[in-house]
Amino acid sequence: MSSTEPPEARIVAAVPPASSVRVGAGEKLRAASVPGLTMTVRCRPPSASGLPPALFVHGLGGSSQNWSALMELLADRVEGEALDLPGFGDSPPPDDGNYSITGHARAVIRYLDAQDRGPVHLVGNSMGGSIATRVAAVRPDLVRTLTLVSPALPELRPQRTAVPTGLLAVPGVTRLFTRMTKDWDAERRTREVMLLTFGDPSLVGREDFAYAVEEFERRLALPYFWDALSRSARGVVDSYALGGQHSLWRQAERVLAPTLLVYGGRDQLVSVRMAQRANATFRDSRLLTLLDAGHVAMMEYPEAVARGMRELLDGVEERDDRDSRKARGAVPASGADGSGAARG
């Protein structure tokens, strides 16, 4: 896989975080290292042994904490892990300074190869959806199913509300933005992010908001925070311009894994109008549209997303069982093969 990172990319030294990251009840954090990368992994022990592995990949500016609610709801179905991508959450920057979609996808692949965890039920949100799509396309052996929540796939006419986020990719804009917002405290920055990403920010509880502010304060103290954010945004924008076999839409066509697509009707960053195109592009897909959700449906409506994933997993298990019985001669060859995708 080739990198889309510009040649002037610079490497920012990693330093220990000023304060510890939040760990929810029942969760554990551990560090996973491969050559050139160290990533924090958020784990939730499954409620039963022998459950299949799942890996959750956050979006731009997010972290593994974005998946806590969903992982808890699925603890009886999968053995869940969520990554802090390099430079985000509690993970230091990558040694090579590569924040492209390809670079992040390579990090996920290297982690799965090192842990020998594949094939996994792979889940991604926003930028993490782009990353997961690329992983599923180039390494189908690592992905059992694919769930994409508001995936950042190229749009010819992005929503007006998504333009400021895209501008973070422009050299110099981050410095200008930080000067313009130098008087904003972490509480205001958190509120602005929630206004952009949540369908109805007023539904965020006081305690959860306080935790989000605390996490924003922690990240702002990291010297590489803005660098990781701006150059990952540049990586997303660069991926939109890639053509040929590296195009994200072309790679979406190559995905073999059964896929669940989740879109929010109030998403200001990824237009819900892209849902039908995505549903027609992925070979074996089903679509879940949540009219009141914004960009992070797994945080706003985790029960609804969990139900969608359960249905996806049920369908895959039924198909596997049917194929197994057919292979043993228990089912006539002319029987239903379950190849039709459920589409909503």
Side-chain angles (χ1 to χ4, degrees):
M1 292 184 292
S2 62
S3 170
T4 60
E5 196 66 24
E8 71 272 14
R10 58 194 179 89
I11 298 175
V12 179
V15 297
S19 60
S20 59
V21 70
R22 181 192 179 199
V23 183
E27 295 182 337
K28 298 179 181 179
L29 294 184
R30 64 179 178 84
S33 296
V34 298
L37 292 170
T38 298
M39 290 181 287
T40 297
V41 184
R42 185 176 300 265
C43 312
R44 174 167 287 279
S47 59
S49 61
L51 295 181
L55 186 68
F56 299 80
V57 185
H58 65 79
L60 182 67
S63 76
S64 60
Q65 293 185 58
N66 296 164
W67 301 107
S68 290
L70 184 60
M71 285 202 299
E72 182 175 5
L73 290 171
L74 293 172
D76 63 330
R77 293 298 303 269
V78 298
E79 183 181 350
E81 292 185 347
L83 289 177
D84 282 335
L85 291 169
F88 292 91
D90 211 35
S91 295
D95 287 357
D96 62 3
N98 189 341
Y99 289 99
S100 67
I101 294 298
T102 295
H104 284 310
R106 186 182 294 118
V108 172
I109 290 170
R110 291 172 69 187
Y111 171 74
L112 289 174
D113 278 339
Q115 299 294 313
D116 194 25
R117 267 179 68 82
V120 299
H121 297 293
L122 186 60
V123 187
N125 167 237
S126 189
M127 180 184 75
S130 300
I131 295 165
T133 297
R134 183 149 293 176
V135 172
V138 302
R139 288 293 303 273
D141 58 305
L142 294 178
V143 182
R144 185 67 189 92
T145 68
L146 182 64
T147 297
L148 304 176
V149 182
S150 295
L153 299 174
E155 298 184 48
L156 292 178
R157 292 180 293 108
Q159 296 185 98
R160 178 177 53 82
T161 48
V163 171
T165 302
L167 287 176
L168 287 174
V170 179
V173 168
T174 300
R175 289 191 296 272
L176 175 62
F177 179 76
T178 53
R179 286 199 300 269
M180 292 174 60
T181 62
K182 61 183 176 64
D183 295 328
W184 291 15
D185 57 14
E187 180 173 339
R188 179 170 179 184
R189 292 180 188 276
T190 302
R191 199 175 303 280
E192 294 292 333
V193 169
M194 287 186 172
L195 285 171
L196 184 63
T197 56
F198 280 70
D200 184 357
S202 67
L203 297 179
V204 179
R206 182 176 300 177
E207 183 179 24
D208 287 338
F209 181 77
Y211 281 134
V213 172
E214 180 181 323
E215 174 62 9
F216 215 131
E217 288 178 332
R218 187 190 71 84
R219 293 195 210 178
L220 284 170
L222 299 173
Y224 53 81
F225 171 79
W226 288 110
D227 188 67
L229 186 67
S230 62
R231 292 205 287 122
S232 289
R234 191 183 311 165
V236 173
V237 173
D238 287 349
S239 72
Y240 282 21
L242 291 177
Q245 64 177 341
H246 297 294
S247 161
L248 282 170
W249 284 113
R250 182 71 62 85
Q251 293 194 330
E253 294 174 348
R254 293 167 52 191
V255 172
L256 301 177
T259 301
L260 171 65
L261 301 164
V262 182
Y263 283 81
R266 296 184 178 181
D267 194 332
Q268 299 182 68
L269 294 173
V270 172
S271 174
V272 70
R273 69 173 181 262
M274 302 303 295
Q276 292 299 332
R277 178 179 180 182
N279 199 32
T281 301
F282 286 88
R283 300 187 186 196
D284 183 2
S285 64
R286 57 182 73 198
L287 175 62
L288 173 62
T289 303
L290 302 174
L291 297 180
D292 293 328
H295 193 59
V296 287
M298 72 287 186
M299 299 174 69
E300 299 175 87
Y301 297 98
E303 295 85 1
V305 177
R307 282 196 299 272
M309 284 193 64
R310 286 177 183 276
E311 292 174 1
L312 176 69
L313 300 181
D314 288 343
V316 168
E317 290 172 2
E318 290 172 4
R319 185 182 306 183
D320 288 347
D321 181 63
R322 191 160 50 241
D323 290 344
S324 176
R325 287 187 288 117
K326 185 185 296 184
R328 297 196 306 268
V331 177
S334 58
D337 65 2
S339 62
R343 299 181 182 271

